[in-house]
Amino acid sequence: MDSIIVNGGSELHGQIHIAGAKNAALALMPVTLLTEEPLTLTNTPRLSDIRTMSQLLQSLGAEVTALNDGRVVALSSHGLTSTRADYDIVRKMRASNLVLGPLLAREGRAVVSLPGGCAIGARPMDIHTTALEALGAEIELKDGYLHAEARGGLKGAVVPLRFASVGATENLLMAATLAKGSTVIENAAREPEIVDLASCLRRMGAQIEGDGTSRIEIQGVDRLSGATHPVVTDRIELGTYMLAPVIAGGEVECVGGRLDLVTAFVEKLEAAGVEVEETQVGLKVRRANGRPSAVDVVTEPFPGFPTDLQAQMMAMLCTAEGTSVLEERIFENRFMHAPELMRMGADIEVHGGTATVKGVERLKGAPVMATDLRASVSLILAGLAAEGETQVNRVYHLDRGYEHVEEKLGAVGARIERVKER
Ligand code: UD1
């Protein structure tokens, strides 16, 4: 497996281009299953998760072509050959479950493997299944697979979600576009990726209102047409690179960055003494004099502080002045990076869903191991300011969600390289 070597201590200066959002693209690609006409996504990120979703859609009979070096993905599902999402693909990536709603809507049935646990917690599917059952689907668990059927087709309904799950909102939104009559999603997730999905569906002729709020209304239509849609900016990649100059020192402009995508995160950065400026092309971040100050963080659904930036924020707080408390409220086991950061000299105590971080002046490089996608990038960030060499192992997690991290950070002055597995 490849590893990444970081030598800390260089300030960062320059621009980093932020890619299209992984999590938006993973919800947009299954939209192809809702129409016989071509769907073209632009501004797609070049990531292994996108290739995994392509393989899954191809296994269902869709045509998926990466163009322009992966920046554009052309999809077409005029003839589907299967309605089964196999365990072999689903276990690699939980977002594979996003084919469930579209397959049910288009084909009236779907067999989708349950994803199983992952490093950050149990991640069940009950909110997805309860929501689709409310539209008239019958769903049964057999041999680790959800067998879903909607004999008379899906019918609109008022569907309250017990928690504002991102994936369940996406599955339900896609399914409801082709259901008979109107659907109301109550306690819907409000993430920008949901708004992006709804905008793409509207381009295709879907009737949707209220996305971005907790109440989404969908009026079902008979068919959807094709469309070309640009994927929204990746707010998690954006937040990650905004933290780089805070940790390493210097000034970085994140091209394509938008304040409205990272408002809660920027509030915390400013409270820590970081300067964030909106520019013509994005967001510029500069660490004010000296170390950042400690801040407390609670992860919440959007518009709250994103769980997907918690590990990176912790890496920054390890060298802040004072004591910070981080509370993880979305996932049950998302502090796996803490013991790795402690190997680099961080002072962290974890009790259940709360981590207390006492800032130290300097971290020290060490060999560390990445357990999940966001944890791995937090270790790279920590390495940027650590004394000496940090070797981050098992970076296949990283390649699921960050394109060319070593090139992007290297171009602004970080001493970072990938060591290929022989
Ligand atoms: C999406 C993101 C992921 C992010 C997460 C929370 C994608 C591809 N992934 O994941 O990066 O960390 O949102 O912002 O967009 N839950 C249930 N039952 C369900 C569904 C979820 O109990 O049926 C729980 C989960 O275990 C978790 C919480 O709800 O504790 C949030 O999950 P959810 O919002 O569904 O996240 P994902 O859509 O899987």
Side-chain angles (χ1 to χ4, degrees):
M1 256 172 268
D2 293 1
S3 55
I4 300 258
I5 311 257
V6 189
N7 273 285
S10 310
E11 282 203 353
L12 308 181
H13 290 275
Q15 287 186 327
I16 296 181
H17 288 257
I18 307 302
K22 167 181 88 77
N23 287 351
L26 290 176
L28 288 162
M29 291 172 74
V31 166
T32 180
L33 301 172
L34 292 167
T35 175
E36 300 208 336
E37 294 181 25
L39 171 68
T40 304
L41 300 174
T42 61
N43 196 35
T44 45
R46 293 167 292 181
L47 303 169
S48 65
D49 268 8
I50 300 298
R51 290 190 287 276
T52 305
M53 182 58 87
S54 302
Q55 280 166 12
L56 172 59
L57 294 170
Q58 282 163 341
S59 77
L60 302 173
E63 286 167 27
V64 186
T65 316
L67 305 166
N68 195 9
D69 194 21
R71 288 263 167 257
V72 173
V73 176
L75 305 110
S76 166
S77 304
H78 51 82
L80 293 180
T81 51
S82 164
T83 50
R84 181 185 167 93
D86 227 68
Y87 179 60
D88 271 352
I89 297 186
V90 180
R91 74 183 162 80
K92 279 196 225 159
M93 187 183 71
R94 179 179 161 85
S96 307
N97 63 25
L98 294 174
V99 300
L100 176 61
L103 281 175
L104 258 179
R106 163 107 172 249
E107 301 287 299
R109 66 199 145 89
V111 178
V112 176
S113 168
L114 269 187
C118 70
I120 59 178
R123 307 188 81 173
M125 284 278 292
D126 60 303
I127 308 176
H128 299 245
T129 52
T130 309
L132 293 166
E133 279 166 353
L135 297 197
E138 285 171 31
I139 305 180
E140 209 187 333
L141 177 65
K142 268 192 286 187
D143 313 325
Y145 282 79
L146 294 171
H147 292 250
E149 214 172 339
R151 285 207 188 93
L154 296 172
K155 293 185 189 64
V158 176
V159 190
L161 304 184
R162 76 163 169 82
F163 174 81
S165 154
V166 175
T169 303
E170 290 167 344
N171 249 329
L172 186 57
L173 177 59
M174 288 188 275
T177 56
L178 290 180
K180 280 194 195 78
S182 74
T183 298
V184 178
I185 312 178
E186 291 178 346
N187 194 28
R190 292 179 278 169
E191 270 66 4
E193 294 74 27
I194 307 271
V195 175
D196 202 36
L197 174 62
S199 336
C200 175
L201 290 165
R202 269 192 294 267
R203 284 176 202 267
M204 299 164 70
Q207 293 188 16
I208 303 168
E209 280 177 26
D211 46 295
T213 75
S214 303
R215 185 185 158 89
I216 306 180
E217 285 190 50
I218 306 117
Q219 188 65 43
V221 295
D222 289 339
R223 58 177 296 280
L224 293 174
S225 63
T228 297
H229 178 82
V231 178
V232 68
T233 298
D234 196 318
R235 64 197 166 95
I236 306 302
E237 192 195 32
L238 170 63
T240 302
Y241 288 127
M242 287 174 77
L243 282 168
V246 181
I247 291 174
E251 179 178 290
V252 166
E253 185 170 32
C254 293
V255 177
R258 272 169 41 193
L259 212 46
D260 61 312
L261 296 175
V262 283
T263 309
F265 169 73
V266 167
E267 274 168 19
K268 291 295 172 188
L269 284 190
E270 288 177 340
V274 176
E275 289 171 25
V276 179
E277 184 196 333
E278 265 185 295
T279 66
Q280 297 276 329
V281 293
L283 296 176
K284 195 181 271 184
V285 182
R286 185 182 318 111
R287 185 171 81 187
N289 294 329
R291 288 157 65 190
S293 331
V295 285
D296 294 341
V297 172
V298 178
T299 64
E300 285 170 330
F302 193 85
F305 191 99
T307 174
D308 286 351
L309 283 173
Q310 179 258 107
Q312 301 88 313
M313 191 72 175
M314 186 187 284
M316 186 276 268
L317 294 173
C318 286
T319 50
E321 218 154 341
T323 300
S324 312
V325 177
L326 286 103
E327 203 183 316
E328 173 57 55
R329 289 208 189 147
I330 306 294
F331 291 107
E332 58 187 14
N333 185 20
R334 207 174 197 184
F335 286 134
M336 305 285 275
H337 42 284
E340 300 299 316
L341 290 167
M342 285 156 76
R343 302 193 67 244
M344 299 174 70
D347 183 346
I348 306 169
E349 259 183 54
V350 175
H351 290 288
T354 303
T356 306
V357 183
K358 286 197 190 119
V360 296
E361 203 147 324
R362 200 95 217 243
L363 295 177
K364 293 197 174 64
V368 285
M369 188 83 89
T371 46
D372 72 64
L373 167 55
R374 307 304 171 184
S376 52
V377 85
S378 77
L379 298 172
I380 291 177
L381 288 179
L384 292 176
E387 219 170 79
E389 185 179 291
T390 299
Q391 178 166 2
V392 184
N393 296 307
R394 285 174 71 172
V395 293
Y396 65 91
H397 291 294
L398 190 75
D399 298 330
R400 290 187 43 209
Y402 290 89
E403 53 171 49
H404 310 300
V405 74
E406 64 278 17
E407 285 168 29
K408 287 192 180 187
L409 284 172
V412 293
R415 287 184 294 155
I416 177 168
E417 60 173 332
R418 178 180 290 255
V419 181
K420 290 265 179 209
E421 184 188 34
R422 284 165 208 255

